[in-house]
Amino acid sequence: MNETIEVIKRRRSIRRFKPEQIRDSDLQEILESALLAPNARNQQKWHFTVIQNEEVLNKMASIMKENMLNSEIEFLAERAKDPEFNPFGNAPTVVLITADKTTRFAEIDCALAAENILIAAESLGLGSHIMTSTEFLFTTEKGKELKKELGVPEGYEHVCVIALGYKDENLPAKPRRKDVINYIR
Ligand SMILES: Cc1cc2nc3c(=O)[nH]c(=O)nc-3n(C[C@H](O)[C@H](O)[C@H](O)COP(=O)(O)O)c2cc1C
């Protein structure tokens, strides 16, 4: 099978990672792949914060859990009650993608960059997990301080988070609907 398509078909959302840090050369390839994503009018109003500091990762996980518990969204609150739950699956690397959302299509640009990250990671033998429930990260005062600490550019907002690392689980593909394609031939 074509190698690119094989990698696309192999990718899964990984929610459990091994503690070993990923190679920096792999991280650089992944980030370069992100920056090469197509984006509207090549405006590149996106930003990537790479977090590998354990203390900061733990702080993010704890703020996120606290905010999930207080979200009043039942399934998120239930998940956060589990003391074993880590929103990033204990991934050693987390990439926060933010954007200037006043720029038209910036979120689509970020989604394309995110997919490049997921596919590049898979091609390098790494697992990944994109998530948006991380929007709860910055909703409280503590979260706003965290955003500053992370150096998110002024005016940029959360789009998604991607956890990256060596996989600690092996999952079958989740089923996909087949009734979503219409051919006009
Ligand atoms: C925009 C977006 C947001 C997502 N947010 C979350 C999330 O907050 N938490 C989570 O566990 N998974 C999240 N996911 C992962 C999806 O649940 C996952 O992609 C889907 O179930 C299909 O599984 P697969 O990625 O293994 O093919 C998100 C995926 C996308 C594309």
Side-chain angles (χ1 to χ4, degrees):
M1 193 192 297
N2 168 294
E3 201 182 327
T4 306
I5 292 173
E6 201 268 324
V7 170
I8 290 170
K9 290 187 175 178
R10 207 172 59 217
R11 184 214 56 82
R12 314 267 182 274
S13 289
I14 298 298
R15 292 178 174 81
R16 251 183 35 211
F17 295 90
K18 293 182 178 164
E20 292 95 312
Q21 189 51 275
I22 65 174
R23 277 190 284 271
D24 203 52
S25 54
D26 286 349
L27 175 65
Q28 295 312 318
E29 290 280 35
I30 289 168
L31 294 171
E32 194 182 341
S33 304
L35 298 183
L36 287 170
N39 64 97
R41 293 173 55 207
N42 203 26
Q43 290 189 97
Q44 304 170 71
K45 293 294 180 79
W46 50 30
H47 190 266
F48 304 85
T49 309
V50 180
I51 305 116
Q52 293 188 313
N53 178 300
E54 210 180 318
E55 210 176 299
V56 178
L57 286 172
N58 288 339
K59 186 173 174 175
M60 285 171 71
S62 133
I63 292 179
M64 170 96 179
K65 278 178 83 165
E66 198 177 309
N67 294 356
M68 281 167 78
L69 274 171
N70 296 331
S71 70
E72 290 175 9
I73 301 173
E74 203 174 325
F75 80 96
L76 289 178
E78 272 312 305
R79 215 179 270 175
K81 274 183 201 158
D82 176 356
E84 295 299 304
F85 173 71
N86 176 298
F88 312 119
N90 291 311
T93 296
V94 162
V95 181
L96 162 69
I97 306 184
T98 52
D100 171 5
K101 291 190 182 175
T102 63
T103 302
R104 200 150 179 247
F105 307 125
E107 282 190 82
I108 294 179
D109 300 341
C110 288
L112 293 168
E115 177 70 350
N116 275 10
I117 290 176
L118 307 185
I119 300 306
E122 182 62 43
S123 79
L124 293 165
L126 297 169
S128 65
H129 180 199
I130 180 173
M131 61 203 98
T132 51
S133 50
T134 40
E135 67 185 343
F136 289 108
L137 264 174
F138 304 134
T139 49
T140 54
E141 275 315 306
K142 245 193 231 173
K144 284 180 186 130
E145 268 172 43
L146 172 72
K147 196 175 171 193
K148 268 195 202 145
E149 189 186 328
L150 293 177
V152 173
E154 200 56 43
Y156 276 50
E157 304 295 337
H158 168 278
V159 176
C160 64
V161 161
I162 299 174
L164 290 171
Y166 294 99
K167 300 171 197 175
D168 199 18
E169 62 181 4
N170 204 347
L171 304 164
K174 283 193 185 163
R176 294 300 202 252
R177 285 172 58 186
K178 300 271 188 252
D179 60 347
V180 293
I181 303 174
N182 188 28
Y183 297 94
I184 313 292
R185 285 176 162 156

